[in-house]
Amino acid sequence: MRYIYVVPVGEIEQDILETLREAIEKRFKVKCKVADPLEHPGYAYDSHRRQYGSTAILRKVKSILPRDALRVLGVADVDLYVPELNFVFGEAEIGGESAVISLYRLRPELYSSSPDEKLFRIRAIKEAVHELGHTFSLRHCPDPKCVMHFSNSLADTDIKSTDPCPRCESELSLSLERVGFWV
Ligand SMILES: [Zn+2]
Ligand SMILES: [Zn+2]
């Protein structure tokens, strides 16, 4: 039996981890476990940008890959970046084993809106499914409603659904079937 692991990167609320765990099991039809938390990602901090390098966190998450892991998804709560972009919601290895997302930019209160727990959770699910979708070889999709559409901003995230479009869904099924052969 192999699992998708959700790995807290630093201190992350249990509730949101459980929400993600359930959503991932339902979407990918693979058992999902929450792993023990990793340390706060101070090693990834860039003091000029005042942000955290997502690639360094991705490497760290990959380095703790449990033996029975099919995939690992790191869940951080810091502002992530890659050198080419102002920020990222997450990062993943296309067709690889690891992905990372951050909850940091997903809370309405960061943009002076009132807190909305439900909206926050839905955004987190979309980002988790999107990044894990990349690990199952899905690339960005032109359909703005598809979960694999690239989010340049939260408005893009809010437009898309938590599910892949029919074309991405069938690619995902193929990819999951291939995985099935080696479990
Ligand atoms: Zn993407
Ligand atoms: Zn699609």
Side-chain angles (χ1 to χ4, degrees):
M1 181 85 152
R2 293 172 81 197
Y3 300 88
I4 295 176
Y5 279 87
V6 169
V7 186
V9 180
E11 207 178 300
I12 307 292
E13 289 161 53
Q14 207 53 48
D15 277 10
I16 187 70
L17 295 170
E18 183 54 28
T19 297
L20 291 174
R21 196 194 64 72
E22 270 177 31
I24 290 166
E25 263 189 10
K26 201 167 140 214
R27 160 56 34 215
F28 296 97
K29 299 177 187 76
V30 174
K31 284 275 175 207
C32 183
K33 287 187 195 175
V34 177
D36 292 337
L38 297 177
E39 60 179 331
H40 178 84
Y43 53 84
Y45 189 64
D46 180 315
S47 56
H48 292 288
R49 297 187 57 132
R50 298 194 195 158
Q51 287 177 304
Y52 294 75
S54 65
T55 309
I57 300 177
L58 192 64
R59 270 195 216 109
K60 180 77 184 177
V61 165
K62 193 180 159 106
S63 76
I64 60 104
L65 196 76
R67 286 178 76 94
D68 58 355
L70 184 63
R71 295 291 186 272
V72 274
L73 173 72
V75 179
D77 199 357
V78 294
D79 198 12
L80 299 180
Y81 78 94
V82 293
E84 323 66 81
L85 295 173
N86 288 339
F87 75 91
V88 289
F89 291 114
E91 187 182 346
E93 300 179 300
I94 298 215
E97 291 161 318
S98 50
V100 61
I101 62 165
S102 177
L103 306 174
Y104 181 81
R105 286 180 179 259
L106 306 182
R107 290 186 186 85
E109 51 278 37
L110 190 72
Y111 311 89
S112 317
S113 299
S114 11
D116 184 337
E117 184 63 24
K118 194 174 164 212
L119 179 62
F120 168 64
R121 282 168 191 246
I122 288 174
R123 287 172 172 171
I125 291 170
K126 289 174 185 177
E127 294 309 329
V129 171
H130 180 99
E131 297 307 339
L132 282 170
H134 282 316
T135 69
F136 290 107
S137 303
L138 297 183
R139 293 179 182 260
H140 287 150
C141 176
D143 179 351
K145 294 265 185 199
C146 174
V147 75
M148 293 313 296
H149 192 70
F150 174 66
S151 285
N152 215 352
S153 70
L154 263 189
D156 298 325
T157 305
D158 289 340
I159 287 167
K160 65 191 181 185
S161 78
T162 52
D163 293 321
C165 70
R167 200 182 55 89
C168 291
E169 178 75 65
S170 64
E171 263 186 59
L172 178 62
S173 305
L174 280 176
S175 186
L176 284 165
E177 263 173 47
R178 277 197 296 272
V179 162
F181 294 134
W182 20 281
V183 195

